[in-house]
């Protein structure tokens, strides 16, 4: 779904295909629920466009979006999606749901995954960071960020380091 679109076309790799892909997912998900497919497409597209326009700050201590940043971004994406849908005479709730799903499924490690890394590391935060870097070398965390951005550079380096963490890669 949205994660695959971000991994393949996100981070400035191909904003047009990323927008079209997220629009198609939003439309299909809405249609499958018997809702306004065009509103779903608007929501998916609006999150993608917003994400390509702004570079969110990453917490310098761990390279993650803080929960506040993640929440604020999701709210912004939902507001943009629902506002555009309402202006177009489409269902703003469906667009809001689609934008939220697209924003939620950007592909940095999820909290569940981070918790698992910490568990594998037996509570050692430095070891957990190695697991996350190893995972990022697989899922291409940097792909969702704009070319030349601080976030892109940070996660590209994390992916390179992660590719050398052979023990952690074997356990993932």
């Amino acid at each position: 779904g949205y994660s695959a679109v971000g991994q393949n076309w996100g981070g400035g790799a191909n904003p047009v295909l990323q927008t079209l892909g997220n629009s198609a997912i939003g439309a299909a998900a809405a249609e499958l629920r018997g809702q306004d497919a065009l509103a779903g497409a608007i929501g998916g597209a609006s999150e993608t466009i917003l994400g390509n326009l702004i570079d969110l700050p990453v917490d310098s201590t761990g390279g993650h979006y803080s929960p506040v940043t993640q929440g604020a971004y999701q709210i912004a994406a939902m507001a943009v999606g629902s506002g555009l849908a309402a202006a177009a005479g489409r269902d703003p709730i469906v667009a809001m749901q689609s934008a939220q799903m697209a924003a939620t499924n950007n592909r940095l490690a999820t909290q569940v995954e981070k918790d698992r890394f910490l568990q594998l590391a037996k509570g050692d935060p430095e070891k957990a960071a190695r697991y996350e870097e190893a995972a990022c070398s697989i899922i291409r965390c940097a792909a969702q960020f704009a070319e030349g951005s601080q976030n892109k550079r940070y996660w590209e380096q994390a992916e390179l380091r992660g590719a050398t963490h052979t023990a952690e890669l074997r356990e993932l």
Side-chain angles (χ1 to χ4, degrees), residues 96-108:
M96 180 182 68
Q97 292 168 334
S98 179
Q100 180 185 24
M101 288 306 297
T104 301
N105 288 294
N106 284 330
R107 202 57 189 116
L108 287 179

Side-chain angles (χ1 to χ4, degrees), residues 13-172:
N14 193 324
V16 172
L17 287 178
Q18 182 186 20
T19 302
L20 291 173
N22 280 349
S23 294
I25 292 167
E31 183 68 28
L32 287 171
R33 293 188 310 261
Q35 297 174 323
D36 183 352
L38 185 53
I42 291 169
S46 63
E47 184 283 328
T48 307
I49 292 166
L50 179 66
N52 280 298
L53 292 176
I54 61 173
D55 191 26
L56 297 173
V58 171
D59 174 7
S60 60
T61 62
H64 306 289
Y65 296 135
S66 72
V68 172
T69 299
Q70 288 176 332
Y73 177 73
Q74 286 183 0
I75 290 167
M78 292 162 62
V80 170
S82 63
L84 289 173
R90 307 311 297 195
D91 188 331
I93 303 299
V94 172
M96 180 182 68
Q97 292 168 334
S98 179
Q100 180 185 24
M101 288 306 297
T104 301
N105 288 294
N106 284 330
R107 202 57 189 116
L108 287 179
T110 65
Q111 189 59 51
V112 169
E113 291 167 330
K114 289 183 227 173
D115 291 345
R116 177 68 177 138
F117 301 149
L118 197 56
Q119 180 184 28
L120 288 168
K122 297 176 179 39
D124 180 346
E126 288 181 24
K127 182 79 171 157
R130 289 177 57 88
Y131 279 104
E132 183 169 21
E133 289 176 347
C136 280
S137 74
I138 298 167
I139 63 174
R140 297 179 42 227
C141 294
Q144 68 180 316
F145 297 107
E147 288 300 323
S149 71
Q150 178 183 352
N151 292 335
K152 179 92 167 175
R153 287 188 296 276
Y154 177 90
W155 286 106
E156 285 173 338
Q157 291 302 311
E159 289 174 14
L160 290 172
R161 287 189 303 272
T164 68
H165 301 330
T166 54
E168 290 82 0
L169 285 166
R170 277 194 302 271
E171 289 187 61
L172 296 175

